[in-house]
């Protein structure tokens, strides 16, 4: 998911370009906007964390791009491509280092397991929207 900060800052094209050049195949893609309720559902695992309210408000503040990406070893390779949660700690050349503003407004989300990738793909896309 390309987050609202990166969308507002005009980075969606640069981010998709970097993802494709890194060997990921786009199987589904959508421009959409999360309601506060849907953002809260997506990040429910964090609902006891002190930043949850801020996270939900930010993630529902503007449009996002959701995608299903395919590649061998996709979850691990994508986490490497996007870099550390806090862009100040992200490696040079990673998406968060290049495009993120802060730990909260950090440009992009990537699933942290194959199981969550399936859940998150199903959250955004019907069977008719994936190829
Ligand atoms: P990720 O898997 O690298 O996205 O990181 P996490 O699963 O730990 O956190 C989910 C998201 O919550 C992050 O991508 C941030 O957008 C947000 N987040 C994490 N830590 C903080 C924090 O300390 N402050 C704020 N405002 N947001 C945070």
């Amino acid at each position: 998911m390309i987050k609202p900060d990166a969308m507002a800052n005009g980075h969606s094209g640069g981010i998709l370009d970097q993802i494709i050049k890194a060997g990921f195949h786009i199987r589904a893609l959508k421009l959409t906007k999360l309601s506060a309720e849907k953002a809260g559902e997506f990040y429910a695992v964090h609902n006891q964390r002190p930043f949850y309210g801020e996270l939900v408000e930010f993630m529902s503040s503007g449009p996002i791009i959701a995608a299903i990406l395919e590649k061998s070893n996709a979850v691990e390779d994508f986490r490497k491509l996007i870099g550390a949660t806090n862009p100040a700690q992200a490696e040079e050349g990673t998406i968060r280092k290049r495009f993120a503003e802060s730990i909260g407004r950090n440009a992009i989300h990537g699933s942290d397991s194959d199981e969550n990738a399936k859940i998150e793909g199903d959250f955004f896309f019907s069977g008719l929207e994936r190829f």
Side-chain angles (χ1 to χ4, degrees):
M1 181 172 20
I2 301 177
K3 296 186 177 183
D5 61 312
M7 297 297 294
N9 293 331
H11 296 317
S12 56
I15 290 173
L16 286 172
D17 187 53
Q18 187 168 349
I19 290 169
I20 292 164
K21 285 188 174 136
F24 291 85
H25 298 281
I26 294 174
R27 295 300 179 207
L29 190 73
K30 175 183 289 188
L31 177 67
T32 186
K33 185 169 181 289
L34 292 168
S35 63
E37 190 189 353
K38 292 301 274 181
E41 193 185 313
F42 188 89
Y43 281 109
V45 66
H46 293 306
N47 66 10
Q48 297 306 313
R49 309 280 284 275
F51 56 81
Y52 180 68
E54 199 181 317
L55 176 61
V56 168
E57 190 185 343
F58 163 59
M59 288 304 300
S60 57
S61 67
I64 55 117
I65 287 177
I68 297 177
L69 304 171
E70 185 178 81
K71 186 182 179 298
S72 64
N73 203 38
V75 167
E76 196 184 334
D77 287 359
F78 196 71
R79 303 286 303 183
K80 263 188 219 146
L81 182 71
I82 71 178
T85 307
N86 185 348
Q89 286 156 12
E91 277 184 41
E92 215 52 57
T94 58
I95 289 173
R96 282 172 168 161
K97 186 69 174 189
R98 292 181 67 201
F99 300 115
E101 292 180 13
S102 65
I103 190 168
R105 301 169 63 88
N106 62 357
I108 191 156
H109 166 82
S111 305
D112 62 5
S113 66
D114 287 347
E115 190 191 0
N116 282 336
K118 161 120 182 50
I119 293 168
E120 292 172 1
D122 291 343
F123 179 92
F124 282 111
F125 298 100
S126 74
L128 294 172
E129 296 174 309
R130 33 183 113 187
F131 301 93

